[in-house]
Amino acid sequence: MVGTGFYVPERVVTNDELSRYMDTSDAWIRERSGIEERRWASEGTTCAGMARRASEMALTEAGLRPGAVDAILLATLSPDHAFPGTSAFLQRELGLTGIPALDVRAQCTGFVYGLSVADAWVRVGQYRTVLLVGVEIQSTGLDVSTRGRDMSVLFGDGAGAVVLQATEDPDRGVLSTHLHAEGQNAEILWCEFESSASHPRISREALDEGRHYPSMVGKEVFRHAVARMSEAVEEALGANGLAASDIDLLIPHQANLRISQMVQRRLGLTEGRVFNNIQRYGNTTAATIPIALAEAVREGRLERGDLLCLAAFGSGFTWGSALIRW
Ligand code: ACO
């Protein structure tokens, strides 16, 4: 990873602001999730535009021009349009043409899935420099009435990007990625509409019932998230002959501060070895890990040679982990 970057919209939405739209409170949201505020994109802001800003920061840090990028991977569950993928719009925003642009649809695990694809591309020599982005605009898809309060207080908007480049240095780079999915639980955390199985894809009835908003069984998601993220980290450590005590920094997907803290406890890590920023951004889904990574770099939390661990869990269910020698 030779460059990291992020972008979050300027507009800060506090818990107190949300309590003006729905029956909730700052105390409830903080206590249950750790979230204090999140960012919401303004009218006209696109995922492709936010992804471009994050990508430009990552490319600048890497000392590269956009033209050095050989392939684009973009993870999102909130694409700008039904098709084409947002990666195509990002490619255009960066002034690039001809190189492949692929959207990754693995929700909160999208960045880790994308990292696995990028790592494989680089390892086999297919592409030398890969731009990997996670981006979401959640705010336009949330039910901000009391009906949707269990979901809508959790999510925020943002983008994070990483530039990966081939290296001959055996002591540096992605050590492994481990990916999983369990489609049996797809409806525990999902957004039912629009649906191509429905004629038309959205009906007045579905709109009235709010079935175009995301929904979840919160407690089930919570339970699975803690177990699966912890397991995925242990799997990664075992595969590399390492122990939790070897981890210098764990960046867990930012779904709920309590989830991160329980994973931290299960792994026996001290607080200083886990990076959380959900307090300021909420859950930005595929963007949480790359935003956190870019912030961790800027805060000096990673030094050359450190062992970085990423872990994610999300809708699908999907989950996974990555170990990186920084
Ligand atoms: N404000 C006030 N009250 C609320 C709110 C709210 N925003 N949302 C729900 N409540 C109410 C409920 O209606 C319920 O009321 P009742 O007891 O009268 O029925 C009460 O608060 C308690 O609700 P619970 O669901 O029991 O609260 P819980 O402690 O489980 O916390 C939460 C809910 C925060 C959603 C938790 O279940 C959670 O974090 N789950 C996982 C979230 C998550 O990771 N989602 C996935 C997002 S996608 C991804 O990143 C994986």
Side-chain angles (χ1 to χ4, degrees):
M1 290 186 180
V2 291
T4 62
F6 76 107
Y7 173 79
V8 289
E10 277 175 25
R11 184 175 169 211
V12 176
V13 176
T14 62
N15 294 341
D16 284 335
E17 180 178 340
L18 290 184
S19 64
R20 298 207 297 269
Y21 313 141
M22 64 186 84
D23 181 11
T24 190
S25 66
D26 178 54
W28 193 97
I29 300 170
R30 274 181 202 247
E31 184 191 317
R32 304 290 172 126
S33 71
I35 298 166
E36 296 165 20
E37 59 189 38
R38 73 286 293 142
R39 304 297 180 100
W40 280 6
S42 58
E43 179 89 36
T45 300
T46 61
C47 276
M50 296 204 306
R52 176 182 52 78
R53 286 170 181 251
S55 300
E56 285 170 349
M57 188 192 276
L59 286 162
T60 300
E61 189 179 273
L64 297 172
R65 292 179 167 280
V69 173
D70 297 320
I72 296 173
L73 285 161
L74 184 145
T76 189
L77 64 67
S78 52
D80 286 331
H81 301 283
F83 67 86
T86 304
S87 56
F89 292 103
L90 171 61
Q91 185 206 43
R92 192 172 70 184
E93 291 251 357
L94 288 169
L96 300 173
T97 188
I99 62 166
L102 175 66
D103 275 35
V104 178
R105 294 294 311 269
Q107 300 65 252
C108 299
T109 319
F111 185 82
V112 175
Y113 266 67
L115 180 60
S116 187
V117 176
D119 181 45
W121 278 350
V122 170
R123 264 178 213 280
V124 299
Q126 188 164 353
Y127 302 113
R128 184 176 152 70
T129 305
V130 179
L131 174 63
L132 171 61
V133 185
V135 59
E136 304 288 357
I137 296 181
Q138 300 279 8
S139 56
T140 50
L142 299 174
D143 180 356
V144 292
S145 71
T146 296
R147 178 178 67 179
R149 65 183 179 174
D150 62 327
M151 286 297 268
S152 56
V153 301
L154 300 177
F155 293 98
D157 305 339
V162 168
V163 181
L164 293 112
Q165 204 164 45
T167 174
E168 299 302 323
D169 185 347
D171 296 326
R172 207 175 170 200
V174 178
L175 302 182
S176 67
T177 54
H178 288 85
L179 308 178
H180 299 281
E182 200 169 60
Q184 291 83 347
N185 290 320
E187 291 88 356
I188 292 181
L189 173 55
W190 74 328
C191 187
E192 187 182 0
F193 287 98
E194 297 180 359
S195 166
S196 58
S198 166
H199 303 253
R201 291 186 174 182
I202 185 80
S203 63
R204 170 55 52 195
E205 188 191 2
L207 283 170
D208 289 344
E209 290 169 1
R211 288 158 69 194
H212 58 302
Y213 292 124
S215 67
M216 69 171 172
V217 185
K219 282 191 187 344
E220 278 296 294
V221 175
F222 195 106
R223 191 171 62 80
H224 278 88
V226 173
R228 298 307 198 191
M229 282 205 282
S230 308
E231 284 166 20
V233 172
E234 276 158 4
E235 181 181 26
L237 292 168
N240 289 281
L242 295 164
S245 54
D246 293 315
I247 295 175
D248 293 295
L249 192 66
L250 169 68
I251 300 182
H253 168 59
Q254 303 287 293
N256 183 321
L257 189 60
R258 287 160 55 218
I259 293 177
S260 296
Q261 287 167 340
M262 288 177 84
V263 171
Q264 176 191 327
R265 277 199 291 276
R266 278 200 186 195
L267 295 168
L269 297 174
T270 56
E271 204 172 320
R273 293 193 177 205
V274 182
F275 191 89
N276 291 305
N277 60 6
I278 190 170
Q279 300 90 331
R280 288 176 284 122
Y281 301 134
N283 179 351
T284 57
T285 316
T288 77
I289 289 179
I291 293 174
L293 178 56
E295 287 200 335
V297 167
R298 278 151 190 79
E299 289 177 22
R301 297 279 295 270
L302 279 165
E303 289 185 12
R304 187 75 187 268
D306 277 357
L307 186 66
L308 168 67
C309 184
L310 311 178
F313 176 86
S315 164
F317 291 150
T318 54
W319 67 97
S321 61
L323 275 180
I324 297 129
R325 187 62 72 185
W326 196 252

